[in-house]
């Protein structure tokens, strides 16, 4: 056996298990969801009641689903708008040498490693009206809590969920930004100080631009996670009150497991997949592509220098 064939065989042996797992846990569920979406099916018996695209029309005409898309987009925008500046500010603070630096980093990161179920149950208890800790603290300083509770008021429930999500996932942003800060050369800071640059000018001209790839990658992860949000909302509100916190994921679960409309749930899952795919591709082309282009330019410049030498 030649070395070329040996390399091909090694590639096949190493790649096949990964492809098999990908096909089993990604491709097959997608194909199954697409298949279910064109049938009216209650969860038992064969797929015989073919309805074509009628399930998609039903989902897109449902005000609850339309509202769930809006809620997901609000969570996407709110998560990035709040966690990005807050995470960057905390990362810059924790990047400086101080007493208890390691402890502070651990405290910030602990909420992220907690299971969503545990975090959701804890916050559900904290936000209970009257006997909840949050209402008790507000009452102790003379402030009144919402009469229906933070999770019971349709006007406040979504924003309360967004606040809990910020607490839960802020640690990921801080850790990623801290990791990115380690890659900023100290020589640039020293040169800026010699030139008389202020702290704000150093951060704006050096830190933030060099941290750009890390921030854009984190924003992509945050966007995809917000579009797929389910567990925290399901535990805190179940999509209520009055569907004010429904997301696309909770909508399809309600239609599938509770209402036994698996065709509708399949159509909703396909629409969720398409929306996430479109947003991911657009983000890749409009935002992340600048990092790829910069890497290509750097490689070309390096090759040119080697050739000229």
């Amino acid at each position: 056996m030649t070395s070329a064939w040996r390399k091909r065989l090694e590639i096949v042996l190493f790649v096949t298990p990964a492809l098999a797992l990908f096909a089993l846990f990604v491709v097959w569920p997608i194909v199954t969801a697409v298949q279910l979406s064109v049938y009216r099916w209650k969860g038992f018996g064969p797929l015989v009641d073919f309805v074509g695209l009628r399930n998609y029309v039903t989902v897109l005409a449902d005000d609850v689903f339309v509202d769930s898309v809006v809620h997901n987009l609000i969570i996407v925008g709110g998560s990035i708008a709040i966690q990005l500046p807050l995470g960057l500010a905390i990362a810059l603070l924790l990047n400086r040498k101080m007493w208890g630096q390691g402890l502070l980093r651990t405290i910030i990161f602990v909420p992220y490693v907690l299971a969503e179920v545990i975090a959701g149950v804890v916050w559900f208890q904290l936000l209970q009206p009257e006997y909840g800790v949050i209402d008790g603290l507000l009452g102790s300083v003379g402030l009144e809590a919402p009469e229906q509770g933070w999770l019971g008021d349709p006007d406040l429930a979504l924003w309360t969920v967004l606040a809990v999500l910020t607490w839960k996932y802020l640690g990921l942003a801080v850790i990623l930004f801290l990791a990115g800060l380690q890659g900023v050369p100290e020589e640039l800071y020293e040169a800026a100080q010699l030139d008389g640059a202020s702290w704000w000018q150093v951060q704006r001209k050096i830190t933030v631009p060099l941290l750009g790839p890390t921030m854009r990658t984190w924003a992509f992860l945050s966007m995809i996670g917000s579009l797929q949000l389910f567990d925290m909302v399901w535990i805190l509100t179940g999509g209520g009150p009055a569907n004010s916190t429904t997301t696309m994921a909770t909508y399809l679960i309600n239609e599938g497991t509770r209402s036994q409309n698996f065709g509708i749930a399949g159509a909703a899952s396909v629409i969720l997949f398409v929306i996430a795919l479109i947003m991911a591709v657009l983000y890749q082309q409009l935002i992340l592509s600048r990092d790829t282009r910069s890497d290509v330019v750097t490689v070309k410049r390096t090759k040119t220098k080697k050739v000229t030498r």
Side-chain angles (χ1 to χ4, degrees):
M1 181 181 295
T2 62
S3 59
W5 278 104
R6 186 181 297 109
K7 290 181 179 179
R8 293 192 182 99
L9 181 59
E10 291 175 352
I11 292 173
V12 171
L13 291 176
F14 282 111
V15 171
T16 299
L19 291 178
L21 292 175
F22 181 81
L24 179 62
F25 294 105
V26 178
V27 177
W28 182 71
I30 293 174
V31 173
T32 302
V34 174
Q35 182 184 18
L36 290 177
S37 68
V38 294
Y39 285 89
R40 182 182 290 110
W41 190 56
K42 289 294 184 178
F44 53 89
L47 298 175
V48 294
D49 192 0
F50 181 80
V51 296
L53 299 179
R54 197 177 306 168
N55 287 332
Y56 291 93
V57 175
T58 301
V59 171
L60 294 175
D62 191 345
D63 292 337
V64 177
F65 181 78
V66 175
D67 290 341
S68 71
V69 176
V70 175
H71 296 158
N72 276 113
L73 295 179
I74 291 175
I75 293 172
V76 170
S79 297
I80 295 176
I82 297 174
Q83 295 181 39
L84 179 58
L86 188 58
L88 181 60
I90 295 175
L92 291 175
L93 177 64
L94 295 181
N95 195 48
R96 307 176 66 177
K97 292 183 178 180
M98 63 177 69
W99 182 86
Q101 184 183 56
L103 178 61
L104 291 174
R105 291 183 178 183
T106 302
I107 293 174
I108 291 294
F109 191 64
V110 161
Y112 177 71
V113 300
L114 284 177
E116 279 75 6
V117 174
I118 296 175
V121 171
V122 169
W123 275 101
F124 181 79
Q125 297 298 326
L126 292 175
L127 293 168
Q128 287 298 301
E130 297 183 3
Y131 64 82
V133 175
I134 302 298
D135 284 10
L137 291 175
L138 290 176
S140 64
V141 295
L143 298 177
E144 292 186 1
E147 184 176 352
Q148 296 175 285
W150 297 96
L151 299 174
D153 190 335
D155 296 327
L156 293 176
L158 183 62
W159 305 109
T160 303
V161 171
L162 182 59
V164 175
L165 292 173
T166 300
W167 170 86
K168 177 72 173 67
Y169 296 106
L170 181 63
L172 176 63
V174 173
I175 291 299
L176 289 178
F177 296 163
L178 280 172
L181 289 172
Q182 308 311 309
V184 181
E186 289 292 336
E187 295 79 5
L188 296 178
Y189 291 131
E190 295 174 358
Q193 291 176 355
L194 291 176
D195 291 337
S198 64
W199 181 89
W200 173 250
Q201 290 175 326
V202 170
Q203 308 309 319
R204 186 164 59 91
K205 296 293 186 180
I206 297 177
T207 304
V208 174
L210 292 180
L211 204 59
T214 302
M215 292 191 292
R216 287 187 284 271
T217 301
W218 166 83
F220 177 78
L221 296 175
S222 178
M223 178 185 70
I224 297 301
S226 298
L227 289 174
Q228 299 174 347
L229 181 63
F230 166 73
D231 37 21
M232 191 67 73
V233 173
W234 190 259
I235 295 169
L236 290 174
T237 64
N243 296 316
S244 60
T245 60
T246 303
T247 64
M248 288 183 281
T250 62
Y251 175 87
L252 67 91
I253 292 298
N254 267 320
E255 290 295 329
T257 61
R258 290 186 173 180
S259 302
Q260 302 296 311
N261 294 324
F262 289 98
I264 298 294
S269 65
V270 173
I271 294 173
L272 169 58
F273 172 76
V274 171
I275 292 175
L277 180 63
I278 291 174
M279 293 186 66
V281 171
L282 289 177
Y283 192 89
Q284 172 67 35
Q285 295 298 321
L286 300 178
I287 307 297
L288 292 180
S289 59
R290 68 178 64 183
D291 299 326
T292 306
R293 287 196 298 267
S294 62
D295 291 340
V296 171
V297 171
T298 302
V299 172
K300 288 183 178 180
R301 288 178 178 175
T302 303
K303 290 182 177 180
T304 303
K305 290 181 179 179
K306 290 181 178 180
V307 171
T308 54
R309 289 178 181 176

